[in-house]
Amino acid sequence: MQLKKLFTALVFLACFSIGHAQELTNFMNREPIISPEIGETEVTFRFMAPKADTVKITGGFTPTVKMKTSFGEMDVPSALDLTKDEKGLWSITLPLPEPELYTYSFIVDGISVNDPTNTFMQRDGSRYLSVLLVPGEKTENYFEAEKRGNLHQVWYDSPTLKINRRMFVYTPYGYETSNKDYPVLYLLHGAGGDEDAWSSMGRTRQILDNLIEKGLAEPMICVMPNGNPNQMAAQTTQLPVSEMDFRDPANRNNYVHSIVNDIVPYIEKNYRVIADPDHRAIAGLSMGGGHTIATANEYPGKFQYICPLSMGIWGEQPDIDEKLQGLKKAGYKLYWLACGNTDFVYESAQKLDAKLTENKLEHTFFVTEGGHTWANWRVYLNTFAPLLFK
């Protein structure tokens, strides 16, 4: 009886081992899943889900549908169906979209998931999204340059906001090995973003690396702070937020004051910079555009290059003429305003353009197609960066 039990156990173990060996062999021999796969005229997306009933894809390259939002009626991406083969691999092949950086996700039985075989991702606040970067003339500066600068995560004390905070600082290729002093661009993000937004979604390092390598832009340091004055750093750090109500009118310009009184002095003390207004630029998108306008108005002459993006004059600002006249008197070298013609802030940008014209402040109003999107903000950085420090 004991020998029979032993024999049965050995047979079971042998079969179990053979089965697992076969599974391992099948796994090792399985063709790798490539997604996305970019061809000359098409792009294919793939997702392995043998037991799923439906798999769809949605992203910046799928057709849009009208939807009512808190900002009014807007175009939002639709979802397209993938087809399943006999192995449970879902796929869809689409015409290659225009050169651009797109984000996308799969919808598997109603649940949104990222592309598990695509390592190229970006973070948008609390969301991580898969990325499709289509090569072309428009996007050539979004790819890695041959000569790459460094991106530093820097902690500094903010006496104005009474907390220790983090910002990202880009230093151009060659900074560490040269004795050169550099001009500085202070680049501000929009609502919902943080100190990582311009790097992750804006491709700032890649854009500046390419422009500098091509000789189109002056080598510069780029400082990207956190524009949420109650945050120490991005929410991914899990750090608590301060109790300061930055929406209170009494605290309205606290972050603006911290830029000038905390951030600029820190950079000029700890980095090799040319510490004068002629070598300082400030730019920002959306909320950061508002911070840019407010900083220029509250501290006229501090920055000689002023570039608000997708922002303008909101609500009643009875002192706007006085502020602009103060800026005009202090002097500046560039005032570069940009906005998309279907952006929900376009009317406010037009109001700022009109006020600048009325007060005889020389400026550029750069209008593009499209709305309140990173597709525009990357173009704006590509366009105004070569104009700085000339």
Side-chain angles (χ1 to χ4, degrees), residues 101-137:
L101 187 153
Y102 303 94
T103 57
Y104 70 95
S105 60
F106 293 116
I107 304 173
V108 183
D109 290 343
I111 305 298
S112 179
V113 297
N114 288 314
D115 189 338
T117 62
N118 185 1
T119 59
F120 191 176
M121 299 183 71
Q122 69 176 28
R123 183 176 66 85
D124 182 2
S126 59
R127 301 184 304 158
Y128 286 83
L129 298 169
S130 298
V131 172
L132 170 69
L133 180 52
V134 180
E137 183 178 356

Side-chain angles (χ1 to χ4, degrees), residues 196-306:
D196 182 40
W198 267 107
S199 298
S200 178
M201 293 178 282
R203 305 292 285 174
T204 297
R205 181 182 63 78
Q206 289 82 1
I207 289 172
L208 293 180
D209 280 345
N210 278 286
L211 290 174
I212 292 168
E213 183 177 275
K214 295 173 182 178
L216 299 175
E218 292 295 316
M220 68 184 78
I221 291 171
C222 181
V223 178
M224 293 162 277
N226 186 311
N228 307 295
N230 62 336
Q231 286 185 351
M232 299 183 199
Q235 56 186 308
T236 53
T237 62
Q238 301 296 302
L239 289 169
V241 298
S242 73
E243 296 180 358
M244 181 193 72
D245 182 5
F246 61 88
R247 294 179 179 84
D248 186 324
N251 299 325
R252 184 180 62 181
N253 281 331
N254 278 9
Y255 175 59
V256 167
H257 298 318
S258 77
I259 292 173
V260 173
N261 297 322
D262 302 336
I263 295 173
V264 171
Y266 179 91
I267 294 298
E268 295 186 350
K269 179 181 179 181
N270 291 280
Y271 290 84
R272 295 196 318 276
V273 306
I274 308 172
D276 62 40
D278 285 351
H279 296 88
R280 293 190 201 110
I282 187 166
L285 67 91
S286 193
M287 178 181 76
H291 291 147
T292 298
I293 295 166
T295 304
N297 288 347
E298 295 298 318
Y299 295 91
K302 187 73 175 180
F303 301 87
Q304 285 291 298
Y305 300 85
I306 304 158

